Amino acid sequence: DKDVGLCEWLSSSYKHHSSTEWEQLIEEGNVSIDNVPVQDPKTLIQPGMRVCYHRAPWQEPEVPPIESLKILWEDEHIMVLNKPSGLPVLRSEMFYQHTVMAYLEHLHPPPKHNSSLPNPNPSVAAPVHRLGVGTSGVLLCAKTKLARAGLSAALQHRKMSKYYLALVSIPPGSQPLEDRFSVDHPIGQVEYCPGLSIAAVCTHGKKSLSHAEVLHRGSAAAIVRVNIPTGRPHQIRIHMAAHGFPLVGDPLYGVGGVPRQDILYDEHSKSRDHARTTPLPRDCGYHLHAHQVHFTHPMTQEQLVVQAEIPAMLRADSPLLNKQVMATAVPCPSENTTGLV
């Protein structure tokens, strides 16, 4: 109901950029009012004006070549893939074609159904569960609605077992890492940086359970086999860190299962480039591999075990077992913003 400064309005309405960042973007000519570029952050705006933020042209980031996505097992109902680290499963604001979902749609496009009768089992090739962008290994996909319903029910009722291999760090002076241990810290959404919440350990989170067994030890790290009866976002990364042993190279989660304190967002930064180095959950750098999945075929009732080859860094002779590794962050992307005052 009153005039307000352009920078003040943007920073209060769109908090993915700080006030300092919006000021710099305005001065660079990236913001317009009613299709007229402005460069004064203090320009007054009124209700009804159209404010647009014009971001530079964006290209989809590169990912591992699609040829690296291998089929481990397949029939007319199910496909099990071996996903490489760095390839997203689902589409997002950054990835569209460079995803497992796009690959499945290309490989198994939904058939045209011209009959007046409903198709009882249409093809809807899609992942049944998720793997983080940086996680490699077994990805179970359904090729029909009936198969998807059966596999989803098995996941929900914990009748499917998934086993992962993870390279965890052994921080200097940390408690001894037990041969076997379980972690049950609740996981939920916590505020991370302006306008963004992420999964982390929190008292209001959902019940979560991970069982781990040490397979190989070194002076700086260990390789653990983890089974997760629950499937919370980034659960293994969070639970291993909560137990005191974050994944080697994880740019985000530190001891305690929360964002590392040395990389927290600084909204008073002099340059918006600082914010773009704030790690996000999708950032890679850690070693986590979905090694095996045990499940009952929803159509044939056959008991199946499918596994993916173990990457070199997660084998007994991994050079990282005795090497201290520093985690690094990757740039945090910005977004186009259009607002109506």
Side-chain angles (χ1 to χ4, degrees):
D1 295 333
K2 64 178 182 178
D3 295 352
V4 63
L6 175 60
C7 183
E8 179 185 352
W9 180 78
L10 283 171
S11 58
S12 63
S13 301
Y14 300 98
K15 297 182 179 180
H16 57 283
H17 286 314
S18 69
S19 177
T20 302
E21 292 162 2
W22 277 123
E23 182 176 347
Q24 184 174 349
L25 287 165
I26 294 168
E27 291 173 346
E28 292 173 354
N30 294 305
V31 178
S32 65
I33 299 176
D34 293 336
N35 298 321
V36 178
V38 295
Q39 291 182 287
D40 183 359
K42 296 182 179 180
T43 299
L44 295 179
I45 55 177
Q46 301 173 346
M49 287 182 170
R50 185 176 180 82
V51 178
C52 292
Y53 163 45
H54 306 276
R55 190 181 65 176
W58 169 81
Q59 292 183 338
E60 193 165 340
E62 290 298 319
V63 299
I66 203 65
E67 293 77 17
S68 61
L69 186 63
K70 304 297 184 182
I71 299 175
L72 298 172
W73 190 91
E74 183 181 19
D75 68 5
E76 64 269 33
H77 305 286
I78 294 171
M79 175 187 292
V80 186
L81 300 173
N82 185 6
K83 185 187 87 70
S85 173
L87 179 65
V89 173
L90 301 179
R91 293 184 170 108
S92 66
E93 74 279 4
M94 286 192 67
F95 298 96
Y96 188 84
Q97 291 295 338
H98 297 174
T99 61
V100 174
M101 194 68 218
Y103 168 79
L104 289 173
E105 290 178 357
H106 173 74
L107 203 61
H108 295 279
K112 294 181 179 179
H113 185 64
N114 298 322
S115 170
S116 59
L117 297 176
N119 189 346
N121 194 26
S123 175
V124 287
V128 176
H129 61 99
R130 300 185 185 186
L131 292 180
V133 176
T135 304
S136 60
V138 175
L139 179 65
L140 185 57
C141 304
K143 296 165 65 175
T144 65
K145 282 188 175 181
L146 289 179
R148 181 175 179 83
L151 293 171
S152 297
L155 271 174
Q156 182 179 358
H157 295 100
R158 301 186 183 180
K159 293 182 178 179
M160 180 187 299
S161 297
K162 295 181 292 180
Y163 295 90
Y164 296 76
L165 300 177
L167 183 69
V168 300
S169 60
I170 302 178
S174 63
Q175 62 182 356
L177 178 60
E178 311 97 308
D179 291 336
R180 291 181 175 83
F181 59 93
S182 296
V183 187
D184 61 0
H185 294 283
I187 295 175
Q189 294 293 308
V190 300
E191 185 177 357
Y192 176 47
C193 61
L196 177 64
S197 295
I198 65 171
V201 167
C202 60
T203 56
H204 62 270
K206 295 181 178 180
K207 292 182 179 180
S208 309
L209 181 61
S210 302
H211 302 297
E213 174 186 7
V214 176
L215 300 182
H216 309 289
R217 294 177 182 269
S219 60
I223 296 171
V224 297
R225 184 173 187 252
V226 188
N227 170 238
I228 51 172
T230 56
R232 311 303 177 204
H234 312 294
Q235 178 173 318
I236 293 176
R237 297 168 64 188
I238 294 169
H239 269 179
M240 295 304 101
H243 197 59
F245 304 91
L247 268 61
V248 170
D250 193 328
L252 179 58
Y253 293 107
V255 173
V258 295
R260 291 167 40 208
Q261 294 299 307
D262 59 324
I263 50 84
L264 289 181
Y265 184 95
D266 178 12
E267 67 174 311
H268 301 295
S269 168
K270 296 294 184 181
S271 169
R272 66 179 185 276
D273 291 335
H274 176 87
R276 291 177 179 162
T277 64
T278 302
L280 295 175
R282 64 170 169 257
D283 294 340
C284 304
Y286 54 90
H287 299 274
L288 178 59
H289 182 66
H291 183 219
Q292 290 183 340
V293 60
H294 300 226
F295 65 101
T296 301
H297 195 294
M299 312 306 292
T300 67
Q301 303 307 307
E302 180 183 1
Q303 301 296 312
L304 295 172
V305 177
V306 183
Q307 68 179 30
E309 182 180 1
I310 301 174
M313 293 300 106
L314 290 169
R315 297 174 186 167
D317 59 351
S318 172
L320 297 180
L321 286 172
N322 298 296
K323 180 181 179 181
Q324 293 289 343
V325 177
M326 295 295 293
T328 57
V330 300
C332 173
S334 59
E335 299 178 357
N336 283 322
T337 300
T338 298
L340 189 63
V341 181

